[in-house]
Amino acid sequence: MNLVALLWREALKFGAVGGLGWIIDNGIYTILWHGPMSEGTIKARVISTIVATLFAWFANRYWTFRHRRSERVWKEFALFLVMNGLGLGIVLACQVISRYVLGFTSFSADFIAGGVIGLILGTIFRFLAYRYFVFTEELSDLPVAARGAVSAGPASTQAATTSARALISAGSGN
């Protein structure tokens, strides 16, 4: 139960960061789409996503997963970028399918395909990737007061996290 409560807290914080990231991403995309990049909508999406990714890195590292961050910042950042690259691939795949396979070329179609459908699928992937592969330090780094809220204790949480990683690895064929 307490591990579930921790997961929900992380998911809610991740959702708040994601909501702000979504506003940043789609705000910049809208400006670029209607301005200097009206002919390069895929490039506009890449640029807007990069800016939103940098925001998400700082917000997730120092707020959402602050109790799980590593001392090895560059390794963590590199993994974060790889996972975001894969998430961006999901977003772009949705937009490319909409634009070039289905033939929808309006701003609304691009927005729905990339900024809504792609973002939902990419967000699910990113949350799981950040939680289990990027921000992987154990709960023992929590301040004593915060540990009281997670009465399962670090050993139980570590065992649960290890079990979850094993399940994910088994499910992915690794």
Side-chain angles (χ1 to χ4, degrees), residues 8 71 75 91 125:
W8 273 109
E71 299 268 332
K75 178 185 177 203
V91 171
F125 167 78

Side-chain angles (χ1 to χ4, degrees), residues 55-170:
F55 162 77
W57 157 253
F58 285 104
N60 280 310
R61 183 174 205 303
Y62 293 104
W63 187 52
T64 307
F65 298 108
R66 71 177 177 258
H67 59 284
R68 299 176 59 82
R69 66 181 186 225
S70 169
E71 299 268 332
R72 297 165 51 185
V73 178
W74 289 109
K75 178 185 177 203
E76 197 176 78
F77 185 64
L79 284 170
F80 187 86
L81 291 178
V82 167
M83 297 307 169
N84 267 284
L86 294 172
L88 175 58
I90 293 168
V91 171
L92 291 177
C94 291
Q95 191 167 333
V96 165
I97 289 168
S98 172
R99 182 170 271 272
Y100 299 110
V101 175
L102 301 176
F104 300 119
T105 58
S106 69
F107 172 77
S108 296
D110 281 350
F111 183 81
I112 291 168
V116 178
I117 296 168
L119 192 69
I120 290 169
L121 296 174
T123 297
I124 293 166
F125 167 78
R126 285 180 181 115
F127 177 74
L128 294 172
Y130 296 168
R131 176 110 183 27
Y132 294 107
F133 298 104
V134 178
F135 301 108
T136 58
E137 292 299 313
E138 299 303 326
L139 293 172
S140 60
D141 292 340
L142 278 175
V144 175
R147 271 190 239 146
V150 184
S151 62
S156 299
T157 304
Q158 183 176 7
T161 302
T162 303
S163 297
R165 285 187 189 135
L167 286 173
I168 289 173
S169 293

Side-chain angles (χ1 to χ4, degrees), residues 8-73:
W8 273 109
R9 274 193 306 270
E10 287 177 349
L12 289 173
K13 287 180 177 183
F14 181 81
V17 169
L20 287 173
W22 184 83
I23 291 169
I24 291 167
D25 186 4
N26 287 297
I28 292 171
Y29 178 71
T30 300
I31 291 167
L32 294 174
W33 199 97
H34 290 292
M37 297 188 134
S38 61
E39 299 298 319
T41 61
I42 301 300
K43 290 177 188 173
R45 178 62 70 188
V46 170
I47 289 169
S48 67
T49 300
I50 288 170
V51 174
T53 297
L54 292 173
F55 162 77
W57 157 253
F58 285 104
N60 280 310
R61 183 174 205 303
Y62 293 104
W63 187 52
T64 307
F65 298 108
R66 71 177 177 258
H67 59 284
R68 299 176 59 82
R69 66 181 186 225
S70 169
E71 299 268 332
R72 297 165 51 185
V73 178

